[in-house]
């Protein structure tokens, strides 16, 4: 099992490195102009006030865009970081098993004394390690740049928000993983559905801040349980992340059940 | 073959894929003894690969069951695979790994009995293990696939058309490898659509068509009784009378300078006649596997 994790990580080493570099670069670019932004805050505030509530909530949820938390949330944590980490996790989830199945290398592994359960666990762990590595890179990048541009937010807030963001991404990764482990649906379908749930959830949850009747359906999307602006400000509901972890666990159980007894595509 | 517990056995094994009402394999009963080299012959799509994938637990049987070394292939799959080597004719291996990295990976999952053995094999097969697998030729990639199957010196080898992409020289090396495995007592299940190949290395052969086992015979019987077809051209007139006198031979077509002879068993009588005449060409015709096998089958069991 260790060998499968090791070689899976080895195979993904370059793409993981590029993801880490890309996310770090994105965070640097997004936050670097904080100083000049702060000086023009008053003007921007007026512009934002003229936007309709629905449009504004797509950027920041309901937070004050001009506070340090509001800025960091709007630039990184509200949309882009969860989106990037989710795409990473979906890409991993949809390919860790199914690419090996498509190319036939899965048979080379399963011809050895390793159970499907262990193989699946090894692949899931490799995916977890890669996602966490990239999200740690994002955390370190954020802390460094916040220091540089004097964006003053308590360390704990940033750490916990990154953590909840990672948990959110893992839900989508697990969804893609489960679908591709079930096998019947193609890899594209697993990517498609996961992206729809991720993006759709983001849009519906964001708009729910302004559009009352969306509040109820928003509850069915993982994004609803991710509240970066509040978390950065120190208001954090553990229950939300526990719920997301619970969903992830259920999806992994589905993956396990689906994969352990089915016919491999050959 | 010796009495005792079969190394591989199937009991009414059947597989019907989801969404299909046709059986890929139906009511298959095999009994392969320890140390036996069993050739599993049939045309493409006959059910050879399905049978092998069932034995490897890549797919689940819809009927019956199978055992390897007295253990159920579905419930004891992990235990069984400690001592199995598997090879498919068309193998994809991680293109970005070198041969050595790949073999290290496979040996981490299935520890070998002797550590240096796989490198000895690599020398025999003349494979460069330091190259990335993706940069190797198809033949060289197949050699690495052969290495991974034999590396752990398994007691049971399950080979699905293994020689399909080996060049003739490497086929010989491969047959030698099978021979050595047989000497050390391995049981070998070998699928192929090439009768000549199976004749060369197997003790016994089973023929599968449309998912059903239609005949089984030992190779010793097969080679003495199999019919062969020779097409002979003569410089002079065909010695038809002599040819017709050969026991167990039949002239199935002839013209003034040409004859097609079908015969079974000892070939000496034919060649003795040929030495007395000026022969311009002699050709052994490749019959279709099924024709050849069925003719043997009818001839072998009256």
């Amino acid at each position: 099992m260790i060998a499968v994790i090791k070689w899976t990580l080895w195979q993904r080493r370059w793409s993981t490195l590029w993801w880490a570099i890309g996310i770090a670069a994105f965070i640097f670019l997004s936050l670097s102009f904080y100083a000049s932004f702060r000086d023009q805050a008053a003007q921007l505030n007026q512009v934002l006030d003229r936007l309709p509530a629905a449009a504004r909530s797509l950027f920041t949820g309901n937070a004050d865009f001009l506070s340090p938390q509001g800025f960091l949330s709007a630039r990184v944590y509200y949309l882009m970081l969860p989106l990037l980490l989710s795409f990473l996790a979906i890409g991993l989830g949809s390919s860790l098993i199914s690419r090996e199945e498509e190319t036939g290398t899965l048979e080379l592994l399963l011809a050895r004394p390793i159970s499907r359960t262990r193989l699946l666990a090894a692949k899931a762990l490799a995916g977890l390690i890669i996602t966490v590595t990239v999200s740690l890179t994002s955390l370190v990048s954020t802390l460094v740049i916040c220091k540089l541009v004097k964006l003053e937010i308590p360390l704990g807030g940033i750490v916990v928000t990154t953590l909840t963001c990672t948990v959110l991404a893992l839900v989508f990764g697990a969804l893609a993983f489960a679908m591709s482990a079930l096998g019947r649906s193609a890899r594209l379908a697993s990517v498609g559905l996961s992206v729809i749930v991720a993006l759709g959830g983001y849009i519906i949850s964001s708009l729910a801040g302004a559009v009352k009747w969306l509040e109820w359906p928003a509850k069915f999307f993982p994004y609803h349980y991710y509240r970066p602006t509040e978390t950065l400000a120190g208001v954090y509901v553990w229950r939300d992340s526990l719920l997301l972890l619970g969903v992830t666990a259920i999806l992994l159980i589905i993956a396990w059940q689906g994969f352990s007894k089915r016919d491999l595509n050959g | 073959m010796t009495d005792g517990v079969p190394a591989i056995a199937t009991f009414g094994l059947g597989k019907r894929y989801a969404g299909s009402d046709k059986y890929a394999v139906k009511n298959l009963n095999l009994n392969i003894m320890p140390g036996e080299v069993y050739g599993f012959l049939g045309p493409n799509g006959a059910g050879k690969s399905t049978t092998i994938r069932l034995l490897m637990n890549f797919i689940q049987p819809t009927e019956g069951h199978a055992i390897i070394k007295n253990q159920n292939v579905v419930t004891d799959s992990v235990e069984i695979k400690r001592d199995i080597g598997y090879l498919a004719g068309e193998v994809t291996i991680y293109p970005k790994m070198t041969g050595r990295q790949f073999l290290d990976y496979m040996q981490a999952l299935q520890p070998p009995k002797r550590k240096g053995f796989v490198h000895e094999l690599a020398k025999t097969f003349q494979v460069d293990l330091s190259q990335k697998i993706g940069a190797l030729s198809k033949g060289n990639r197949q050699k690495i696939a052969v290495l991974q199957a034999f590396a752990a010196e398994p007691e049971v080898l399950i080979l699905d058309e293994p020689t399909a992409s080996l060049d003739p020289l490497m086929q010989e090396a491969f047959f030698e490898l099978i021979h050595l495995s047989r000497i050390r007592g391995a049981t070998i299940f070998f699928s192929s659509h090439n009768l000549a190949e199976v004749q060369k290395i197997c003790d016994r052969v089973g023929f599968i068509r449309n998912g059903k086992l239609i005949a089984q015979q030992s190779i010793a019987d097969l080679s003495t009784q199999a019919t062969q077809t020779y097409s002979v051209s003569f410089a002079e007139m065909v010695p038809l009378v002599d040819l017709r006198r050969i026991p167990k031979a039949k002239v199935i077509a002839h013209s003034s300078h040409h004859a097609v002879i079908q015969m079974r068993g000892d070939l000496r009588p034919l060649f003795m006649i040929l030495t007395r005449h000026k022969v311009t060409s002699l050709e052994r015709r490749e019959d279709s596997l099924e024709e050849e096998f069925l003719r043997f089958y009818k001839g072998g069991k009256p």
Side-chain angles (χ1 to χ4, degrees), chain B residues 180-212:
Chain B
L180 291 174
S181 307
R182 181 223 297 259
I183 288 173
R184 95 183 140 69
T187 308
I188 301 167
F189 187 82
F190 183 108
S191 90
S192 173
H193 57 259
N194 182 336
L195 182 64
E197 173 177 289
V198 164
Q199 266 180 321
K200 196 184 261 176
I201 56 167
C202 295
D203 301 317
R204 201 151 61 99
V205 55
F207 188 77
I208 183 171
R209 195 178 56 184
N210 295 332
K212 286 179 203 149

Side-chain angles (χ1 to χ4, degrees), chain A residues 121-145:
Chain A
K123 288 290 182 181
L125 273 172
L128 178 70
I129 291 170
I130 293 170
T131 311
V132 167
T133 303
V134 174
S135 80
L136 277 179
T137 311
S138 84
L139 174 64
V140 171
S141 312
T142 306
L143 292 177
V144 169
I145 190 84

Side-chain angles (χ1 to χ4, degrees), chain A residues 263, chain B residues 13-15 54 57 59-66 73-74:
Chain A
D263 291 354
Chain B
L13 192 65
K15 176 66 183 177
L54 284 166
N57 194 36
I59 56 178
Q60 305 267 321
T62 41
E63 277 139 54
H65 70 283
V73 296
V74 175

Side-chain angles (χ1 to χ4, degrees), chain B residues 233-270:
Chain B
S233 298
F234 295 89
E236 62 251 33
M237 288 295 285
V238 172
L240 206 54
V241 180
D242 290 348
L243 290 175
R244 285 196 165 133
R245 273 199 208 121
I246 305 173
K248 290 186 184 168
K250 210 161 114 190
V251 179
I252 56 172
H254 65 89
S255 60
S256 57
H257 289 78
H258 188 85
V260 180
I261 302 134
Q262 211 174 55
M263 67 181 298
R264 223 172 334 138
D266 191 358
L267 296 175
R268 274 174 304 181
L270 170 65

Side-chain angles (χ1 to χ4, degrees), chain B:
Chain B
M1 284 299 115
T2 49
D3 289 338
V5 187
I8 303 172
T10 67
F11 304 91
L13 192 65
K15 176 66 183 177
R16 205 164 58 173
Y17 287 104
S20 165
D21 54 355
K22 227 181 118 225
Y23 281 89
V25 167
K26 193 169 186 190
N27 192 24
L28 185 68
N29 295 294
L30 293 172
N31 243 316
I32 297 153
M33 288 300 158
E36 192 173 17
V37 182
Y38 187 90
F40 200 47
L41 266 176
N44 289 330
K48 301 191 297 290
S49 285
T50 299
T51 305
I52 282 179
R53 291 167 65 76
L54 284 166
L55 290 176
M56 292 302 295
N57 194 36
F58 295 155
I59 56 178
Q60 305 267 321
T62 41
E63 277 139 54
H65 70 283
I67 57 168
I68 292 179
K69 289 169 68 189
N70 230 0
Q71 288 175 304
N72 187 294
V73 296
V74 175
T75 53
D76 308 318
S77 171
V78 175
E79 194 52 44
I80 288 171
K81 283 168 185 170
R82 286 183 204 287
D83 222 356
I84 271 194
Y86 167 71
L87 174 62
E90 297 280 331
V91 193
T92 328
I93 311 178
Y94 307 101
K96 286 178 182 161
M97 287 185 191
T98 65
R100 186 164 292 114
Q101 285 171 327
F102 170 66
L103 292 172
D104 282 350
Y105 184 9
M106 293 301 115
Q107 298 208 315
L109 294 176
Q110 186 186 34
K113 293 181 179 112
R114 284 189 288 158
K115 263 209 153 158
F117 178 68
V118 72
H119 293 104
E120 286 171 34
L121 271 187
K123 262 187 210 149
T124 316
F125 274 77
Q126 299 156 27
V127 202
D128 182 359
L129 292 181
S130 62
Q131 285 237 37
K132 281 196 176 164
I133 292 167
L136 296 173
S137 68
K138 198 178 169 199
N140 278 322
R141 282 202 298 272
Q142 186 63 12
K143 286 184 208 169
I144 292 189
V146 171
L147 297 191
Q148 62 81 29
F150 287 81
E153 299 181 84
E155 247 181 77
V156 176
L157 282 152
I158 295 186
L159 314 170
D160 192 1
E161 309 226 10
T163 55
S165 47
L166 284 177
D167 61 51
L169 211 64
M170 283 308 138
Q171 281 190 17
E172 285 309 316
F174 177 73
F175 292 146
E176 179 64 20
L177 195 53
I178 291 206
H179 181 64
L180 291 174
S181 307
R182 181 223 297 259
I183 288 173
R184 95 183 140 69
T187 308
I188 301 167
F189 187 82
F190 183 108
S191 90
S192 173
H193 57 259
N194 182 336
L195 182 64
E197 173 177 289
V198 164
Q199 266 180 321
K200 196 184 261 176
I201 56 167
C202 295
D203 301 317
R204 201 151 61 99
V205 55
F207 188 77
I208 183 171
R209 195 178 56 184
N210 295 332
K212 286 179 203 149
L213 189 71
I214 57 170
Q216 273 190 114
Q217 204 72 38
S218 87
I219 286 291
D221 296 345
L222 189 70
S223 40
T224 53
Q225 292 178 33
T227 314
Q228 307 184 53
T229 307
Y230 288 91
S231 172
V232 194
S233 298
F234 295 89
E236 62 251 33
M237 288 295 285
V238 172
L240 206 54
V241 180
D242 290 348
L243 290 175
R244 285 196 165 133
R245 273 199 208 121
I246 305 173
K248 290 186 184 168
K250 210 161 114 190
V251 179
I252 56 172
H254 65 89
S255 60
S256 57
H257 289 78
H258 188 85
V260 180
I261 302 134
Q262 211 174 55
M263 67 181 298
R264 223 172 334 138
D266 191 358
L267 296 175
R268 274 174 304 181
L270 170 65
F271 286 107
M272 271 156 70
I273 293 167
L274 296 187
T275 52
R276 295 201 298 267
H277 297 272
K278 203 168 176 188
V279 176
T280 55
S281 86
L282 172 67
E283 189 184 348
R284 188 171 163 230
R285 258 201 216 162
E286 288 294 333
D287 289 346
S288 89
L289 164 72
E290 198 171 331
E291 258 174 22
E292 204 165 334
F293 198 95
L294 286 178
R295 194 160 52 227
F296 152 73
Y297 184 51
K298 279 183 214 141
K301 281 188 183 166

